[in-house]
Amino acid sequence: MKLILTNEVSGLGTPGDVVEVKDGYGRNYLIPRGYAMRWTRGAEKQIEAIRKARDAREIRDLGTAKEVAGQLGALRVRLATRAGESGRLFGSVTSGDIVEAVKAAGGPELDRRRIEIPNPIKSVGSHRVTVKLHPEVSASVDVEVVAG
């Protein structure tokens, strides 16, 4: 099955890429979740619009990505959230919460889809998350979650 990716799918490609996948993977996972759309001649014309939107969001070049990674490495990010007596959070910390906390700490504007949280953050304390700034550059950010 030939598909056009509309979102980044790790291990498969970036928005605007035309990929060949197994029928079940495309029909049952990628298309219903909005990660891809079927490839047709008409949809082929939409690829250019998808790529332009991606380029606007993406950090322009490797040098800029390394500069942003340096900024993130030097940043102390504190995130105040509701927690119970034992330090367990009500819910969990999302990538959107982390983007807001980075911006509040004086850091650069990030795309929430670029943040990778290895395990759900459900307790107070210090947690490390990874930000994929560029295909070749990743930055680690220490997020301190406090009860607030």
Side-chain angles (χ1 to χ4, degrees), residues 7-43:
N7 285 324
E8 185 169 341
V9 179
S10 60
L12 198 56
T14 57
D17 290 350
V18 177
V19 295
E20 185 79 31
V21 297
K22 300 236 180 200
D23 291 348
Y25 183 49
R27 189 173 49 247
N28 298 325
Y29 181 74
L30 295 174
I31 294 174
R33 286 178 173 76
Y35 295 149
M37 58 191 214
R38 289 186 180 274
W39 181 89
T40 60
R41 284 192 189 90

Side-chain angles (χ1 to χ4, degrees), residues 40-53:
T40 60
R41 284 192 189 90
E44 184 80 34
K45 293 176 182 149
Q46 291 179 336
I47 290 176
E48 194 58 40
I50 292 170
R51 285 193 178 136
K52 282 182 183 174

Side-chain angles (χ1 to χ4, degrees), residues 2 13 17 26 32 60-62 84 89-91 94 107 111-112 125 134-135 148:
K2 223 173 179 185
D17 290 350
R60 292 288 174 238
D61 59 357
L62 189 61
L89 301 182
F90 297 127
T94 65
D111 185 5
R112 67 176 176 78
H134 190 271

Side-chain angles (χ1 to χ4, degrees), residues 40-128:
T40 60
R41 284 192 189 90
E44 184 80 34
K45 293 176 182 149
Q46 291 179 336
I47 290 176
E48 194 58 40
I50 292 170
R51 285 193 178 136
K52 282 182 183 174
R54 178 184 69 191
D55 290 342
R57 274 196 318 263
E58 197 172 85
I59 294 177
R60 292 288 174 238
D61 59 357
L62 189 61
T64 309
K66 287 183 179 177
E67 183 180 308
V68 171
Q71 290 175 358
L72 289 173
L75 208 58
R76 288 182 48 108
V77 179
R78 282 177 61 97
L79 182 63
T81 184
R82 292 182 51 212
E85 298 275 332
S86 63
R88 189 162 168 83
L89 301 182
F90 297 127
S92 64
V93 175
T94 65
S95 55
D97 296 334
I98 293 171
V99 167
E100 290 174 18
V102 167
K103 196 170 12 172
E109 181 111 6
L110 299 173
D111 185 5
R112 67 176 176 78
R113 292 176 288 236
R114 300 270 181 206
I115 295 178
E116 296 176 349
I117 305 172
N119 297 317
I121 300 174
K122 295 186 176 211
S123 62
V124 297
S126 184
H127 301 275
R128 181 166 287 226

